[in-house]
């Protein structure tokens, strides 16, 4: 009788849990809820086999984390990942909009239409702008200093 020993690499689901999936988070809307996703921690191990049946694992080759929602695979360290807070996301958005030439008052309205209240919107914009304001004298619109052209009338705005 032949006894066939061998080894084989095998992936085993080790545990499940909730985490902040970087890929799913970045797809969230600016005012969307920060939803945690289910993950599966997968262990890749070498198994000792007998008649091709895995008997026990004798060497762990590695572990990775898979998002059950988008199927992205990550290093274990992803479990420590914390997504930017709501305020940080708003600040990033406000800065991009201002730099791309959105007038201050229009941006505040934009924020309000996305669900922020008057105070939150004004504060988020003021945090970035403070006193760095330039005005288009043709339409009387305020912009972030550094914006060179009025997006409404195409007039050059002097610093
Ligand atoms: Zn995901
Ligand atoms: Zn203008």
């Amino acid at each position: 009788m032949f006894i066939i020993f061998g080894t084989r690499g095998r992936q085993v689901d080790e545990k499940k849990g909730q985490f902040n999936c970087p890929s799913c988070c970045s797809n969230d809307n600016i005012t969307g809820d920060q939803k945690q996703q289910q993950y599966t921690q997968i262990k890749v191990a070498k198994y000792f086999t007998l008649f091709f049946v895995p008997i026990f694992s004798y060497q762990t080759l590695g572990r990775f984390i898979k998002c059950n929602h988008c199927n992205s695979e990550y290093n274990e360290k992803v479990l420590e990942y914390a997504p930017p807070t709501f305020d940080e996301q708003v600040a990033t958005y406000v800065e991009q909009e201002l730099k791309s030439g959105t007038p201050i008052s229009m941006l505040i309205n934009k924020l309000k239409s996305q669900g922020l209240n008057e105070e939150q919107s004004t504060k988020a914009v003021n945090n970035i702008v403070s006193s760095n304001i330039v005005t288009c004298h043709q339409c009387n619109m305020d912009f972030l200093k550094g914006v060179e052209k009025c997006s409404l009338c195409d007039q050059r705005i002097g610093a």
Side-chain angles (χ1 to χ4, degrees):
M1 167 178 173
F2 293 102
I3 296 179
I4 306 173
F5 295 110
T7 63
R8 190 166 114 186
R10 205 176 165 224
Q11 297 191 359
V12 197
D13 291 2
E14 241 182 355
K15 64 174 188 187
K16 291 179 193 299
Q18 300 248 316
F19 81 132
N20 299 300
C21 172
S23 165
C24 290
C25 284
S26 67
N27 290 333
D28 277 347
N29 185 279
I30 170 177
T31 55
D33 293 328
Q34 286 295 336
K35 252 199 334 229
Q36 289 212 313
Q37 301 295 346
Q38 286 276 344
Y39 72 84
T40 308
Q41 179 175 302
I42 295 160
K43 182 171 104 166
V44 186
K46 259 193 176 166
Y47 273 72
F48 179 81
T49 59
L50 183 60
F51 292 112
F52 309 107
V53 178
I55 304 299
F56 60 88
S57 77
Y58 71 95
Q59 189 189 5
T60 300
L61 301 175
R63 285 188 170 81
F64 63 94
I65 304 296
K66 197 173 107 182
C67 174
N68 295 1
H69 185 73
C70 67
N71 284 326
S72 299
E73 292 173 359
Y74 301 101
N75 184 283
E76 277 178 283
K77 285 198 169 47
V78 76
L79 297 182
E80 295 155 24
Y81 169 77
T85 65
F86 177 70
D87 285 346
E88 285 166 353
Q89 288 185 63
V90 172
T92 308
Y93 171 76
V94 165
E95 198 175 347
Q96 281 170 358
E97 284 289 312
L98 287 169
K99 283 186 176 160
S100 73
T102 307
I104 290 169
S105 60
M106 276 173 68
L107 180 57
I108 290 175
N109 284 333
K110 233 172 163 174
L111 291 171
K112 283 198 275 192
S113 74
Q114 293 196 45
L116 275 74
N117 66 31
E118 175 86 42
E119 199 200 322
Q120 288 173 313
S121 313
T122 316
K123 215 175 122 193
V125 173
N126 284 346
N127 277 345
I128 308 284
V129 176
S130 62
S131 59
N132 298 318
I133 295 176
V134 285
T135 308
C136 169
H137 294 292
Q138 186 139 318
C139 15
N140 230 1
M141 281 288 192
D142 291 334
F143 298 86
L144 178 69
K145 200 172 185 170
V147 173
E148 292 178 346
K149 212 162 93 178
C150 173
S151 52
L152 301 174
C153 68
D154 257 7
Q155 190 81 231
R156 277 194 72 85
I157 315 171

